[in-house]
Amino acid sequence: MEKFRQFVAFLLAALLMGILSIVTVLIWVLNWRGGLAWDAGLLEFNWHPVLSTTGFIVLNGFALIIYRLPWTWNLSKPLMKNIHAFLNITTFTLMVISLVAVFDFHNSKKIPNMYSLHSWVGLAAIIMYTLQIVLGLCIFLLPFTPMYIKTFYMSIHVFAGLFIFGMGIIAAEMGITEKLIFTLRSGSNVTLSYSQSPPEAILVNALGIFILVFGGYIFWIATQPEWKRPLEQVTDNTNTEEGSTLNKTNTSAEIGMDCALENTPRLRQINLDDVDQRATF
């Protein structure tokens, strides 16, 4: 029961940081940046930080750990894979819109594209994320994909998901700092420059902290072996909370450790269902 409580505590903390990130970025663009619109101007650009934070950070983060939620372990594997895919495709859609918004703004104002480190890291993350989705759909959702391909790609898929998520956090931190430097620079039409810590700067700096802490919680949840989804469902006819969560958590840790040993017959004879479950978080 203690492990289950720890998991819930980290999950709630991540949820809090995710909500604070979304609320803070909305306060920023609505209160200090003029709001949202689709006018090829600054108001259209404001969609970029809003959708990037909501999609590539928060939604993507929870898509990484959706398989680790104990409340989903009784759901069928095909349903969970479809939910995981839906969350990632939704994230991808939001990121495409955010990219269109920023390119529209740059082109209308004759601002060069793709010159900053923020843009390089951000676009690279989105390209890798697109490839991750395509390969994930083809390898883990298509029924005729050979098992040896699933087995080979399994660890790559897991690592790539975390790596791309980390790239998104880095790009977000650079992007919001870059935006503050551009808009609160000395000599522009502002009362206080960035270096003088006006309220807008303090709010956006807090946004960066929320995003960073959220990422830390997601990384921690996604990498703890005792919180891994069971490789095989444990039949439990009891309806108690301990039977439906704690016991499955402990069992999943034991199964995961057994199957992680490279010299065991179980790993050499891993079945298709096990590969599907371990291929994602």
Side-chain angles (χ1 to χ4, degrees), residues 3 73 225-232 234 246-261 264 266:
K3 291 182 179 179
W73 291 352
E226 64 268 23
W227 294 342
K228 185 181 295 184
R229 178 182 172 89
L231 294 178
E232 55 188 39
V234 180
L246 177 61
N247 289 341
K248 291 182 181 179
T249 301
N250 294 334
T251 304
S252 68
E254 295 173 0
I255 296 174
M257 291 177 63
D258 291 340
C259 291
L261 298 175
T264 60
R266 180 180 177 82

Side-chain angles (χ1 to χ4, degrees), residues 50-248:
V50 171
L51 296 181
S52 297
T53 301
T54 304
F56 211 39
I57 302 299
V58 178
L59 191 60
N60 183 27
F62 284 111
L64 288 174
I65 62 172
I66 189 68
Y67 279 90
R68 294 192 167 225
L69 303 180
W71 307 279
T72 68
W73 291 352
N74 288 326
L75 300 179
S76 66
K77 287 176 292 182
L79 175 59
M80 286 306 302
K81 286 190 287 186
N82 287 330
I83 293 174
H84 181 69
F86 172 77
L87 291 175
N88 282 284
I89 292 173
T90 302
T91 297
F92 173 77
T93 302
L94 295 178
M95 289 310 302
V96 169
I97 298 173
S98 76
L99 281 181
V100 172
V102 72
F103 277 106
D104 273 357
F105 169 71
H106 280 189
N107 293 336
S108 67
K109 302 299 181 183
K110 309 301 181 183
I111 300 174
N113 291 307
M114 302 303 301
Y115 66 89
S116 67
L117 182 60
H118 161 68
S119 61
W120 289 14
V121 174
L123 187 61
I126 294 174
I127 292 174
M128 293 176 64
Y129 188 69
T130 303
L131 183 62
Q132 171 88 334
I133 291 176
V134 172
L135 289 176
L137 291 174
C138 293
I139 292 176
F140 296 115
L141 286 183
L142 294 181
F144 51 79
T145 303
M147 185 183 68
Y148 72 89
I149 295 180
K150 293 175 182 283
T151 305
F152 170 78
Y153 185 66
M154 176 175 56
S155 59
I156 299 175
H157 182 72
V158 171
F159 171 79
L162 283 174
F163 183 74
I164 294 169
F165 178 64
M167 289 180 66
I169 292 176
I170 293 172
E173 301 289 357
M174 290 190 294
I176 60 180
T177 302
E178 181 182 286
K179 179 64 175 176
L180 284 179
I181 292 174
F182 288 162
T183 58
L184 299 179
R185 64 183 182 274
S186 300
S188 60
N189 188 24
V190 295
T191 304
L192 297 174
S193 65
Y194 188 17
S195 62
Q196 295 173 298
S197 298
E200 180 181 358
I202 295 174
L203 178 79
V204 180
N205 284 347
L207 169 63
I209 297 298
F210 294 152
I211 290 175
L212 184 64
V213 175
F214 173 78
Y217 283 131
I218 294 297
F219 270 102
W220 184 261
I221 294 173
T223 56
Q224 297 308 296
E226 64 268 23
W227 294 342
K228 185 181 295 184
R229 178 182 172 89
L231 294 178
E232 55 188 39
Q233 285 296 337
V234 180
T235 303
D236 188 354
N237 295 324
T238 65
N239 293 322
T240 63
E241 180 182 67
E242 187 173 55
S244 60
T245 55
L246 177 61
N247 289 341
K248 291 182 181 179

